[in-house]
Amino acid sequence: MKFNKTTEAESKYQDLDKMELNEILKNINKEDKLVPVAVEKAIPQIEKLTEQIVLKLKKGGRLVYIGAGTSGRLGIVDASECPPTFGVEDNLVIALIAGGDKAIRKAVENAEDSITQGWKDLNEININHKDVVIGIAASGTTPYVVSTLKKCNENNITTGCITCNTNSPLGMTAKFPIEINVGPEFLTSSSRMKAGTAQKLVLNMISTTTMILLGKVKGNKMIDMQLSNEKLVDRGTKMIVEELNVDYNTAKILLNKYKSVRNSIENYKKTGLI
């Protein structure tokens, strides 16, 4: 099957270094507007993968992102936000990056080229058939990611991917591929731009939808969020006020006693007492 690496195709724009500031910004924005349209076309693929994730997590499995460079960092951002946003355990959504934690801030030379390290990294977290592993790679060719998904397939572990090239090695390897063809980047081959934006949007869709379907949201509120600062305590208190139709002080007392929005609402409805 033909494979065109559009993420590395020549930019539609020439002489970027001769453009005026305003022209650069407008052209970047013009390209960015294409991203949500490309993501919309991939919704059927996103739905199929998310359905598998929900099924696995309901049976005690985990969601694992694995990537390199920008793709790996985007996975880390999404995974790290799940506990504070939805109150889940730190090990429910896990992100691994080629080169380890030091690669989060600085590039690690040749880390993405290993065809064995990814599987070793998964074994460090005791990967098993209950889990779902999503490979994230804009190009769809990163050896660290592609080789890891192949090993997952061999071991009966559900695999998905997020890539911005169609018919890539990664897309052909994943059992549930997501392919978002955003076209050439404004800056040739700089896949941290449109491709990175597309990956972030899809990760948001996957994790948020999964958590909603797992019952971590009530109405449109994050009732299981961690109350890690005053801003979130205030937000949680206002949620209780709205849900129970009590005054702010009563809601604050409930939250201090029961330590979460969900527990505060459920216990008050159950007993009517503070």
Side-chain angles (χ1 to χ4, degrees):
M1 192 173 289
K2 191 175 181 181
F3 171 45
N4 293 317
K5 196 182 288 190
T6 55
T7 53
E8 297 185 17
E10 185 79 9
S11 172
K12 294 183 288 186
Y13 304 85
Q14 301 298 319
D15 301 319
L16 273 56
D17 53 334
K18 296 178 183 178
M19 288 183 182
E20 296 293 333
L21 188 153
N22 183 260
E23 185 181 7
I24 295 172
L25 295 176
K26 284 186 174 181
N27 284 330
I28 291 175
N29 180 246
K30 182 178 179 181
E31 289 300 306
D32 285 345
K33 290 176 182 177
L34 302 176
V35 177
V37 177
V39 171
E40 182 180 16
K41 293 177 181 177
I43 285 178
Q45 293 181 322
I46 300 169
E47 182 178 1
K48 288 179 181 177
L49 176 54
T50 306
E51 183 178 42
Q52 293 298 312
I53 295 167
V54 173
L55 288 173
K56 289 288 187 176
L57 267 57
K58 282 184 175 179
K59 295 179 180 179
R62 299 168 296 173
L63 171 59
V64 182
Y65 300 135
I66 189 163
T70 298
S71 297
R73 295 181 190 106
L74 288 168
I76 289 168
V77 169
D78 195 72
S80 65
E81 288 294 335
C82 287
T85 305
F86 302 107
V88 297
E89 296 295 325
D90 291 344
N91 65 351
L92 184 67
V93 184
I94 301 169
L96 302 175
I97 185 171
D101 285 353
K102 62 183 178 181
I104 296 173
R105 295 181 182 275
K106 294 183 179 180
V108 176
E109 189 174 358
N110 298 323
E112 70 173 53
D113 297 326
S114 174
I115 60 172
T116 57
Q117 188 59 49
W119 182 242
K120 291 178 182 177
D121 291 345
L122 286 182
N123 278 290
E124 287 290 322
I125 62 167
N126 299 313
I127 198 72
N128 62 77
H129 69 278
K130 293 182 179 180
D131 303 326
V132 178
V133 177
I134 299 180
I136 312 172
S139 68
T141 60
T142 307
Y144 174 82
V145 180
V146 177
S147 63
T148 303
L149 260 62
K150 288 180 179 178
K151 289 293 292 184
C152 288
N153 289 338
E154 292 171 9
N155 287 272
N156 196 34
I157 298 166
T158 302
T159 56
C161 76
I162 305 172
T163 180
C164 295
N165 286 319
T166 55
N167 303 320
S168 69
L170 182 60
M172 300 297 285
T173 299
K175 298 299 183 183
F176 297 92
I178 296 172
E179 300 170 314
I180 313 104
N181 187 353
V182 296
E185 297 287 1
F186 173 75
L187 176 62
T188 300
S189 300
S190 183
S191 55
R192 68 187 180 84
M193 300 185 77
K194 286 194 299 182
T197 300
Q199 290 172 321
K200 179 66 168 65
L201 290 175
V202 173
L203 287 165
N204 283 348
M205 293 170 77
I206 289 173
S207 59
T208 303
T209 302
T210 295
M211 294 302 163
I212 291 171
L213 295 178
L214 290 177
K216 307 303 292 182
V217 171
K218 181 175 176 58
N220 60 8
K221 302 295 194 300
M222 303 178 290
I223 62 167
D224 290 322
M225 67 180 181
Q226 293 178 356
L227 305 172
S228 56
N229 57 50
E230 285 301 317
K231 177 190 72 176
L232 296 179
V233 170
D234 178 65
R235 184 183 298 169
T237 303
K238 290 175 180 176
M239 288 183 196
I240 297 169
V241 168
E242 183 178 334
E243 179 68 21
L244 298 179
N245 195 28
V246 296
D247 61 64
Y248 187 91
N249 186 57
T250 299
K252 187 73 174 287
I253 294 171
L254 284 166
L255 194 58
N256 286 334
K257 181 177 182 179
Y258 294 110
K259 308 304 180 185
S260 83
V261 176
R262 180 190 294 276
N263 289 340
S264 298
I265 292 171
E266 290 180 352
N267 279 282
Y268 187 81
K269 285 185 175 181
K270 190 182 301 182
T271 66
L273 300 173
I274 296 178

